Each structure stands twice: as structure tokens, then as C-alpha cells.
């Protein structure tokens, strides 16, 4: 059974369950429309249903898509979803096959879904959802990507060094329509290093970096001349095919699967793309030096994916895949061969990311952005930059809606999928260059003495402020505060600030809920807005206590408390009666009894929906925060997951600890739709 709870322990008390459930709203269907759920390389036909409470997608189980559904189910991906209107964070208009007919929904728990419609249907669905006025919506608009970028202010933040190169690239990829839901529109990142043979790597040595002003296919001067010559001599007998420098694209589904073949679900899709087997071993991604050399020699034009800067697992054959042997030396392909200057996959990621944030890349990244997202993307400037790709990769090159012949249309759709898709153009003029650290400091109007530094290159800008940071004080109570928690606001491209909950607990377990905003209309006194809990001004009889004293041998500290994603639920442990207590709006909502001894610690994941508790009984329990009865009553469903099992097997207690657990950390990694985890833990850690 899914929930195999201990029968000797009463699970949960819900004091307000019945009266609140009676007031639950009645479901009303707003509309039902046909659509397609875009999953990686597949489009799953189905029906989307929008009600006053939730949005739901149900696939059409027809014979044509049965193989696809079986393929997805084999890797624990199920093309069905249902999420509440209250969880919706952002809605973005997207392209699919270069047609502006899709909507991408971003939820508070960091998940997102891409749906494709007929054009008129897309508008109706968008209007139906917006008419419900989702309470957590951060952004939903029909502005063009160019306009959205201007409103976001991201470019100014990057120029002033307020955000990193990595963050800026991720954000402009998202604005330009790149998404993890569609391998044909996967986020694209640049090669920044060209030295994969040296034994050491010096980020201050400019000779290790590639020329970011040129596309990959033109990095080699000899190859650049031959590409230009072929372009000038190209003649289409029919007179219909425009000239192009490259017949392949720097980002498409095949290149994404090529780089990430060692991880699921990319492994399964790669095998499916290659008709049930792995591609020839010599064409596999087996060496960084070899892969870059092919690009430099003009045999390939691939750029990179974001994983090259944060995910060491992509270089390790953890699943022991049989990828074949090289013809040249019969060497068996296993882990990716890393450069001599990296000691491990983790070390490579650290050094690679350091180079991405280096002064050279910071000074020239704008030139690469001009090629991929800017004014050198197409037209005369693209010709001068040797940056013209096959015409089917550009938006507006083919109008699929005007093609009446089904075969001809299918042919064009296949070309668009196979050749790749150029991102939406975001800049029509040269991208501004990033400020130097010194200029950014001057622009900040802070007079900070940088002093002597042993580093040759300027340190991180935020570190330069460490001696000039000013502390501000707000008196909350007379007692020492042991816990401060704020609602976990998900990242948003455009976020117009609203008041957030800030929960404090003092050493006498008195709980207060304040309001604060990380900005202020008047910066004379404080650079933020803080509204004290109104009850703090009243006498102690009106203060909210956690409703139970901690056990005598338990010190009141931050590890005894956690808050939910919206900041409205405070969960506390360490009570003498071995319970987990839940407060909502400073009122005890429920009491959970599932441990055999005192619960000593609790941690929440980044999404604030999953918790893990540890007890003196030497067990841990993973808790899913689930709101039942139309979001009126909280229930903590205790899920038992064997973290050492390597997959989502039968759910049970986490046992086997020799001593009581006193602290832990929740790390959610890369979660598949079916609940499996792609990210593995290192030695000595739990595997999920």
C-alpha cells in the first residue's frame, strides 16, 4: 500500500476539519479544449480542463500514441497533470514549431508545463485562467519577448553586476522562449574555454578563452574563410532557397541528447531516436577535448547546454550504459574524458563556472549574445558575422498555417524539428557591455576602500561591499529570537513586490507573524518595509504560543521549526508529547503523532512542500505538505521513502540509524515527473 502507517500511533488531529470542509467551493468547469502537452521530444494530444479550482490535462489514448505513452511510463514520466489555480506563478506565451501557439505555466513548486493549442483556442484558455484571478500570479502578459526584457530590467542589472553571467543567460533564454520542456528549444549556453589539453587552468590567462564574437563554426580562421567562400558561391537552381553558412544548428534535440546521454530521460529518448540502440560509439560524447576540436575544425557547430556549468553527473556513466568502443583504439566509452586540468567532474564544473564568471567572459559575453539573441542573429549583420543558418530555423521563414497539403506541412515540421530553432530576437541594437568592477562600484554611489587583494583579477562585486554593508535594526520583542522564516518566493522574471510573511519564534516559543517587503519608497531610514505583528503591541495574553513546551533536554533552536511555501504554516517539533504541531494564522491547526520518541529536528525543501523529521527513535520521516478539503484543512501525509533504495520503491520509514538524528538537510535535486530522482548523492550521503 502507498500509505503504510504505524497502526499503534494515532496519525493526526484536525480540530477544524468538519466546519471548514462544509464551506468548500463547488467545482465549476470554465472550459474544455483540445491541445497538446509538449514533453521533451513528444507532443501528447489530449484535453485541458479549466475549472474555478484547478487546471487538468488528460491525454487521448489512441493507437498512434500508445508507444509514446509506454516509452514515457518506462522512465516514470506520466503525461497527466492537475494543479490548483492557487499554485500558478507565471504564464508565458511560447512558440512551438516556430508558431506562437503555446502557453507555458510555471507553478510555485518550480514545476512547469508547456501546452500547444490552435491559435484561437490558446487565447480562450489564457483568458479563462486569467479571469479566475490566480492569487499567486507573478507575471502573465502578452507582451513580446523584446518588451518583456525591457520591463524586467535584467540587462541593466547585468551591466551593473547585480546578477551573475549564469543567471543572466538563464533569464534571457527563458524570455526568448527556450524551455526544458522542448528539446528542440532547449536553453543554449556558450563554449567559453578552448584549452582542454593543459595540465593547469589559469582564469587570468586570456589565451584559454574562445572568441565570443564569432559563432562556433567560424572560430578557426581557415574554416571561416571556407565557410564564407561556400556562402558566396552558393546558388539554388530553383531560386527559392536562401543562402546559409551552416546547414546544421547550434542547438537542437539531437545535440541535447548527445551531451546528456548518460542521464535519464535523455538516455531513453536517445535510444528511441536511434531506432532502439545507441548511436555509433565514435559519434558519442566521450571526450571534451575531442568534442571541442570537432567544432574548431568545422565538423560541428554545437554550443553547450546549461548543465555544463552546474551538473557533474552528466559526465559520469552512473547507470553503466554500454556505449560501445572507439574504432581507433578500441577504447570502451564510459565516463567523459575530462581535461587534464580537472581532477573530477565536480572540479571541472567549479572551474568551468569560474571561467564563465571571469573578467574576460564578462567583458565579451555581450558579443555572443548579439549572435544568438541579438541584432547579428539574421540579416546583413548576420552575413558579416558568418552567422547565417538554414532558413527553416528562423521564425517567420515558413507559415505552416498557409500550407494546405498535409504531406508538405509534415515535411516542413520535420525540418524545423531536425534542424533546430533560433531563439526569439531580443536585441535590435548592439548589447551593452558589462561594467568593470571598479565602474560598478562607482555607479553604486558607495565609497568603499577595496584595499589590497591577493587576487589578480577583481573579486566578486558583492564581496567588495562587505566592509560597507550597513546593518539595520528592527525591534520585534524583548526576548532572543531563535527562528526567522520567510515565505519562499519563487524566482520571477518580473515581480512587482507584495508583502511577504516573516515568521519569528523567540526562546519562549512565542510566535509572531510580521509583514515585510525588500524595498521601500523612502530609503532615508530603512531600505525595506517592515510591519510589526499587531499583536506584539498587546499584552502577553494575546500572544500566540506554540501550544506546548519543548522536552526538558531539547534546546529551543531553529532546527525545531519550518514554514510552508506561502509562509502561513509554521510546523514545530521537539515537544515532550512526541508530536509535530502545525499552526496556521497563529492558530493550532493540527497535531501529528507518528514518531515513537521525541522529534528532534525538521527541515523543509526549497519548495516548502516537503519536510523531513528526525527523532530520538532513530528514524526519519519524509512528509508531504498536502492541503485537503479545497485548500482549507492541512494534512501532513507521512510518506515512507527508502532513500537508500535508489528509486521510488515501496514507501516506508527511514530506519537503520544507530543514534538519534539531531539535524539534517533536505535537498531535492532533479525530480522526474514520476517522483524519481536523477541527481545522485556523493559518498557518505543518502541516495534518492
Amino acid at each position: 500500500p502507498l500509505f503504510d502507517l504505524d497502526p499503534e500511533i494515532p496519525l493526526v488531529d484536525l480540530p477544524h476539519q468538519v466546519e471548514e470542509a462544509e464551506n468548500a467551493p463547488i467545482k465549476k468547469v470554465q472550459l474544455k479544449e483540445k491541445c497538446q502537452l509538449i514533453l521533451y521530444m513528444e507532443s501528447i494530444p489530449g484535453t485541458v480542463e479549466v475549472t474555478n479550482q484547478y487546471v487538468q490535462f488528460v491525454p487521448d489514448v489512441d493507437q498512434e500514441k500508445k508507444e509514446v505513452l509506454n516509452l514515457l511510463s518506462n522512465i516514470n514520466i506520466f503525461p497527466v497533470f492537475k494543479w490548483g489555480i492557487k499554485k500558478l506563478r507565471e504564464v508565458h506565451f511560447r512558440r512551438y514549431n516556430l508558431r506562437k501557439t503555446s502557453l507555458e505555466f510555471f507553478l510555485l513548486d518550480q514545476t512547469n508545463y508547456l501546452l500547444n493549442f490552435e491559435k484561437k483556442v490558446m487565447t480562450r484558455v489564457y483568458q479563462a485562467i486569467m479571469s479566475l484571478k490566480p492569487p499567486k500570479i507573478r507575471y502573465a502578459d502578452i507582451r513580446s519577448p523584446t518588451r518583456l526584457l525591457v520591463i524586467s530590467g535584467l540587462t541593466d542589472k547585468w551591466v551593473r553586476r547585480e546578477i551573475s553571467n549564469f543567471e543572466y543567460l538563464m533569464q534571457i533564454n527563458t524570455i526568448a522562449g527556450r524551455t526544458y520542456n522542448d528539446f528542440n528549444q532547449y536553453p543554449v549556453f556558450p563554449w567559453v574555454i578552448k584549452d582542454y589539453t593543459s595540465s593547469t587552468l589559469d582564469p587570468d590567462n586570456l589565451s584559454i578563452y574562445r572568441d565570443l564574437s564569432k559563432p562556433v563554426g567560424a572560430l578557426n580562421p581557415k574554416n571561416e574563410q571556407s565557410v564564407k567562400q561556400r556562402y558566396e558561391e552558393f546558388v539554388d537552381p530553383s531560386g527559392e532557397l536562401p543562402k546559409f553558412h551552416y546547414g546544421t544548428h547550434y542547438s537542437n534535440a539531437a545535440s541535447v541528447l548527445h551531451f546528456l546521454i548518460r542521464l535519464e530521460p535523455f538516455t531513453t529518448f536517445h535510444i528511441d531516436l536511434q531506432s532502439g540502440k545507441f548511436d555509433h560509439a565514435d559519434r558519442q560524447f566521450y571526450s571534451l577535448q575531442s568534442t571541442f576540436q570537432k567544432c574548431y575544425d568545422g565538423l560541428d557547430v554545437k554550443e553547450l547546454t546549461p548543465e555544463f556549468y552546474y551538473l557533474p553527473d552528466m559526465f559520469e556513466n552512473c547507470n553503466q550504459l554500454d556505449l560501445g568502443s572507439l574504432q581507433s583504439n578500441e577504447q570502451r566509452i564510459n565516463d567523459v574524458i575530462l581535461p587534464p586540468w580537472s581532477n573530477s567532474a565536480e572540479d571541472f564544473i567549479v572551474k568551468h563556472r569560474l571561467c564563465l564568471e571571469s573578467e574576460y567572459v564578462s567583458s565579451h559575453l555581450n558579443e555572443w549574445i548579439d549572435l544568438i539573441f541579438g541584432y547579428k542573429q539574421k540579416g546583413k549583420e548576420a552575413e558579416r558575422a558568418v552567422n547565417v543558418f538554414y532558413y527553416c530555423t528562423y521564425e517567420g521563414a515558413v507559415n505552416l498555417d498557409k500550407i494546405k497539403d498535409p504531406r508538405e506541412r509534415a515535411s516542413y515540421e520535420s525540418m524545423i524539428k531536425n534542424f533546430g530553432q533560433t531563439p526569439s530576437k531580443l536585441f535590435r541594437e548592439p548589447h551593452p557591455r558589462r561594467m568593470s568592477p571598479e565602474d560598478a562600484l562607482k555607479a553604486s554611489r558607495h565609497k568603499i576602500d577595496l584595499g589590497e587583494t591577493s587576487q589578480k583579477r577583481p573579486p566578486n562585486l558583492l564581496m567588495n561591499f562587505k566592509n560597507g554593508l550597513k546593518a539595520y535594526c528592527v525591534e520585534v520583542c524583548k526576548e532572543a529570537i531563535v527562528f526567522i522564516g520567510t515565505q519562499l518566493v519563487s524566482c520571477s522574471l518580473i515581480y512587482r513586490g507584495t508583502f511577504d510573511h516573516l515568521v519569528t519564534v523567540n526562546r519562549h516559543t512565542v510566535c509572531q507573524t510580521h509583514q515585510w517587503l525588500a524595498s521601500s519608497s523612502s530609503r532615508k531610514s530603512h531600505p525595506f518595509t517592515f510591519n510589526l505583528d499587531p499583536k506584539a503591541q498587546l499584552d502577553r495574553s494575546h500572544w500566540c504560543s506554540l501550544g506546548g513546551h519543548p522536552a526538558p533536554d531539547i534546546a529551543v533552536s531553529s532546527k525545531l521549526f519550518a514554514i510552508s511555501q506561502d509562509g502561513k504554516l509554521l510546523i514545530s517539533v521537539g515537544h515532550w508529547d512526541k508530536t509535530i504541531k502545525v499552526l496556521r494564522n497563529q492558530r493550532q491547526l493540527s497535531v501529528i503523532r507518528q514518531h515513537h520518541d521525541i522529534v528532534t529536528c525538521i527541515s523543509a525543501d526549497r519548495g516548502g512542500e516537503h519536510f523531513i523529521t528526525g527523532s530520538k527513535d532513530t528514524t526519519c520521516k519524509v512528509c508531504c505538505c498536502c492541503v485537503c478539503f479545497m485548500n482549507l484543512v492541512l494534512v501532513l501525509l507521512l510518506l515512507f521513502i527508502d532513500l537508500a533504495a535508489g528509486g521510488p520503491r515501496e514507501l516506508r520509514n527511514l530506519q537503520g540509524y544507530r543514534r538519534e538524528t539531531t539535524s539534517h538537510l533536505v535537498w531535492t535535486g532533479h525530480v522526474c515527473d514520476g517522483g524519481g530522482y536523477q541527481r545522485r548523492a556523493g559518498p557518505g550521503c543518502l541516495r534518492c
Side-chain angles (χ1 to χ4, degrees), residues 3 94 97 142 266 280 467 473 494 529 541 545 590 594 678:
F3 304 110
R94 290 285 184 252
N97 282 348
I142 57 174
F266 307 97
H280 194 281
N467 296 324
C473 179
I494 296 180
T529 304
S541 63
S545 180
S590 58
Q594 187 58 29
Q678 293 179 10

Side-chain angles (χ1 to χ4, degrees), residues 22 35 49 183 200 265 305 308 353 386 414 463 477 485 503 573 656:
E22 291 176 352
C35 66
E49 179 182 277
F183 289 170
T200 59
T305 64
F308 276 84
R353 183 71 168 264
V386 197
S414 177
M463 294 302 296
C477 64
V503 179
V573 299

Side-chain angles (χ1 to χ4, degrees), residues 46-165:
T47 302
V48 64
E49 179 182 277
V50 180
T51 75
N52 60 327
Q53 300 170 22
Y54 59 80
V55 176
Q56 176 177 261
F57 174 83
V58 178
D60 294 337
V61 184
D62 55 20
Q63 192 63 35
E64 182 181 351
K65 288 295 181 179
K66 273 190 176 180
E67 287 188 14
V68 174
L69 296 176
N70 291 335
L71 175 72
L72 295 172
S73 64
N74 288 337
I75 50 178
N76 291 322
I77 297 175
F78 305 98
V80 180
F81 68 75
K82 179 179 179 180
W83 43 264
I85 293 296
K86 293 183 178 180
K87 290 189 175 183
L88 183 61
R89 171 169 59 91
E90 293 182 23
V91 182
H92 288 268
F93 283 83
R94 290 285 184 252
R95 302 181 314 183
Y96 181 66
N97 282 348
L98 298 178
R99 298 171 66 240
K100 299 178 181 179
T101 56
S102 301
L103 294 173
E104 190 164 24
F105 302 94
F106 294 82
L107 308 185
L108 292 172
D109 62 1
Q110 308 298 319
T111 57
N112 52 73
Y113 300 94
L114 181 63
L115 292 178
N116 184 52
F117 307 87
E118 292 299 324
K119 200 160 189 177
K120 293 181 180 179
V121 174
M122 179 192 71
T123 304
R124 287 201 299 269
V125 172
Y126 173 78
Q127 291 174 344
I129 294 176
M130 289 302 102
S131 67
L132 299 173
K133 299 180 179 180
K136 301 295 183 181
I137 197 77
R138 302 286 189 224
Y139 174 80
D141 211 330
I142 57 174
R143 291 184 174 93
S144 67
T146 304
R147 180 60 179 161
L148 173 57
L149 180 66
V150 172
I151 294 174
S152 71
L154 285 168
T155 301
D156 289 337
K157 291 179 181 179
W158 178 79
V159 169
R160 296 195 302 267
R161 292 179 173 258
E162 295 177 12
I163 58 177
S164 67
N165 293 338

Side-chain angles (χ1 to χ4, degrees), residues 231-278:
Y231 181 83
E232 295 298 331
E233 296 175 353
F234 177 83
V235 177
D236 177 31
S238 66
E240 297 179 358
L241 187 62
K243 293 182 178 182
F244 56 90
H245 290 118
Y246 314 105
T248 57
H249 203 256
Y250 50 79
S251 177
N252 53 33
S255 65
V256 172
L257 298 178
H258 174 78
F259 286 133
L260 302 175
I261 186 175
R262 290 166 176 81
L263 299 175
E264 287 289 7
F266 307 97
T267 305
T268 297
F269 281 105
H270 172 91
I271 294 173
D272 184 62
L273 186 66
Q274 298 295 330
S275 302
K277 62 182 185 301
F278 287 112

Side-chain angles (χ1 to χ4, degrees), residues 158 161 192 281 310 369 422-423 469 473 559 573 625 630 682:
W158 178 79
R161 292 179 173 258
V192 296
Y310 69 81
I369 293 174
T422 301
L469 292 174
C473 179
K559 66 183 180 181
V573 299
C625 181
M630 315 307 177

Side-chain angles (χ1 to χ4, degrees), residues 451-468:
E452 296 295 328
T453 176
S454 59
Q455 301 181 19
K456 294 181 180 179
R457 63 185 179 280
N460 183 282
L461 180 61
L462 292 178
M463 294 302 296
N464 294 341
F465 284 105
K466 63 183 179 181
N467 296 324

Side-chain angles (χ1 to χ4, degrees), residues 261-264 267 271 278 313 315-324 332-335 680 687:
I261 186 175
R262 290 166 176 81
L263 299 175
E264 287 289 7
T267 305
I271 294 173
F278 287 112
D313 298 62
F315 303 111
E316 299 179 355
N317 188 12
C318 304
N319 296 321
Q320 299 300 310
L321 304 174
D322 185 4
L323 300 175
R332 196 143 196 88
I333 296 178
N334 193 27
D335 296 344
R680 63 174 181 81
R687 183 188 292 258

Side-chain angles (χ1 to χ4, degrees), residues 507-558:
R507 64 188 182 94
H508 293 308
T509 68
V510 174
C511 170
Q512 295 176 325
T513 303
H514 318 281
Q515 288 187 323
W516 87 293
L517 183 63
S519 62
S520 174
S521 57
S522 174
R523 296 184 179 269
K524 294 181 180 179
S525 56
H526 293 81
F528 56 85
T529 304
F530 185 89
N531 294 333
L532 192 65
D533 188 334
K535 293 184 179 180
Q537 308 297 332
L538 304 176
D539 58 67
R540 290 177 178 267
S541 63
H542 291 85
W543 290 2
C544 175
S545 180
L546 295 181
H549 297 286
D553 57 341
I554 299 294
V556 181
S557 64
S558 59

